Amino acid sequence: ISNFIKNIIQKRMKMYIFLSVVLWHLNFNKTMESIIALKMLDPKKNERILDVACGNGVFTRKLIKKGCKVVGIDISAEAITRARMITENGCELVIGNAESLPFRSNSFDKVISLCSLEHFENDEKSLSEIYRVLKNGGIVVLTVDSFTYKLNEGILYKHKKEHAVVNYYSVDKLKEKLEKFGFKLISYKYFVNSPLSVFFLKFGIQNRFGYIYKAIFPVAYVLGTISDIFLGKKDKGIFLAVKAIKAI
């Protein structure tokens, strides 16, 4: 009986992990973000990487599969509980605040933070902490809400209110903040920065990124990606990804 129950629990756990990963990727801008961030981060086996505001751990799981020694931190105990299931205890997970990271200085090769900085009350304190825990020459990759691609005020207000956004960033604004703490910007990329991808994103905001939005993923992802490639604005977008180095 005990083995029977254990098998049921394991099957349900695998199904939970599968559904969590699938639902995360059915948000087309999350899939785009993940691909861009992974390319910028270029994770290598045995690198010690900190995932700041790791959420439910879906992206953290990707780093584990790359053979990295990953540490995830999130302020939400509920998110960390889900992350422990999704990562299958394959990394260290900590409940904590990005504005006061509970790690030794110069202890990580790389730091990643996906669409989180814009939610922090004190973004500069968080950047200062990321700089502190990175080794000299270490890499940080951030994705942030930019919304430099013009939207009507109603959509912008709805997004900011429902998603608790404190700051939006242009590349110049984020570069200035990074340089203030000793980082040097290496590269950046705006994404969801063309008519079709922005159209689908607005649809998502209006529908609270619910199941209808997820149901159109195949169309949204393919057309949105093609639209960004051929019609994307280089100097504006809904989202922004940056890669910077801790200068020696």
Side-chain angles (χ1 to χ4, degrees):
I1 294 175
S2 61
N3 286 336
F4 176 73
I5 294 173
K6 185 177 180 181
N7 287 335
I8 290 176
I9 292 172
Q10 287 177 341
K11 286 179 181 179
R12 288 188 175 181
M13 183 70 73
K14 288 180 180 179
M15 181 58 69
Y16 173 79
I17 292 169
F18 173 77
L19 289 175
S20 297
V21 172
V22 168
L23 287 172
W24 191 85
H25 282 94
L26 285 179
N27 184 327
F28 92 93
N29 49 287
K30 282 291 182 190
T31 297
M32 293 175 74
E33 176 185 42
S34 173
I35 292 169
I36 292 166
L38 271 178
K39 185 176 180 180
M40 282 188 167
L41 190 66
D42 189 23
K44 298 288 195 302
K45 187 175 181 179
N46 291 324
E47 283 184 329
R48 194 160 191 258
I49 300 178
L50 176 63
D51 187 354
V52 175
C54 63
N56 66 6
V58 174
F59 189 83
T60 317
R61 181 183 172 91
K62 292 177 183 288
L63 298 177
I64 294 168
K65 288 183 175 294
K66 293 284 186 180
C68 305
K69 297 175 181 176
V70 189
V71 178
I73 183 169
D74 200 282
I75 199 167
S76 167
E78 183 181 348
I80 290 296
T81 298
R82 293 197 301 268
R84 287 198 174 104
M85 290 187 282
I86 290 172
T87 61
E88 299 179 272
N89 294 314
C91 68
E92 180 185 351
L93 292 165
V94 179
I95 300 169
N97 194 322
E99 295 172 14
S100 181
L101 295 173
F103 309 111
R104 290 182 292 105
S105 300
N106 307 304
S107 55
F108 291 95
D109 298 298
K110 294 175 179 176
V111 175
I112 179 84
S113 185
L114 300 184
C115 270
S116 300
L117 190 69
E118 64 269 23
H119 303 293
F120 300 157
E121 289 294 332
N122 191 336
D123 58 348
E124 292 194 354
K125 179 61 177 171
S126 300
L127 290 174
S128 173
E129 280 291 275
I130 289 172
Y131 184 88
R132 180 183 64 78
V133 301
L134 263 177
K135 295 177 182 177
N136 289 336
I139 296 294
V140 60
V141 172
L142 305 170
T143 64
V144 294
D145 287 355
S146 177
F147 281 72
T148 45
Y149 196 106
K150 189 170 179 59
L151 298 176
N152 69 62
E153 290 299 319
I155 291 285
L156 189 62
Y157 176 78
K158 180 179 176 68
H159 177 266
K160 188 167 187 176
K161 181 180 179 182
E162 291 184 354
H163 296 274
V165 177
V166 178
N167 292 294
Y168 290 111
Y169 301 91
S170 65
V171 68
D172 290 336
K173 180 179 178 180
L174 190 50
K175 180 174 181 280
E176 182 180 347
K177 286 180 178 285
L178 287 165
E179 289 179 346
K180 180 177 180 179
F181 297 102
F183 288 107
K184 181 180 179 182
L185 184 68
I186 296 174
S187 62
Y188 71 91
K189 181 179 178 62
Y190 284 104
F191 58 104
V192 186
N193 60 339
S194 64
L196 266 179
S197 62
V198 171
F199 168 80
F200 288 121
L201 194 282
K202 287 194 291 185
F203 179 81
I205 293 173
Q206 290 167 334
N207 289 274
R208 297 189 176 186
F209 298 102
Y211 289 108
I212 296 176
Y213 174 70
K214 289 177 170 61
I216 66 169
F217 167 79
V219 175
Y221 178 69
V222 173
L223 294 183
T225 299
I226 293 172
S227 179
D228 274 11
I229 290 171
F230 292 103
L231 301 172
K233 303 287 187 182
K234 294 188 183 302
D235 60 344
K236 61 183 69 173
I238 300 300
F239 303 105
L240 170 66
V242 302
K243 177 179 181 178
I245 187 170
K246 179 176 178 177
I248 299 174

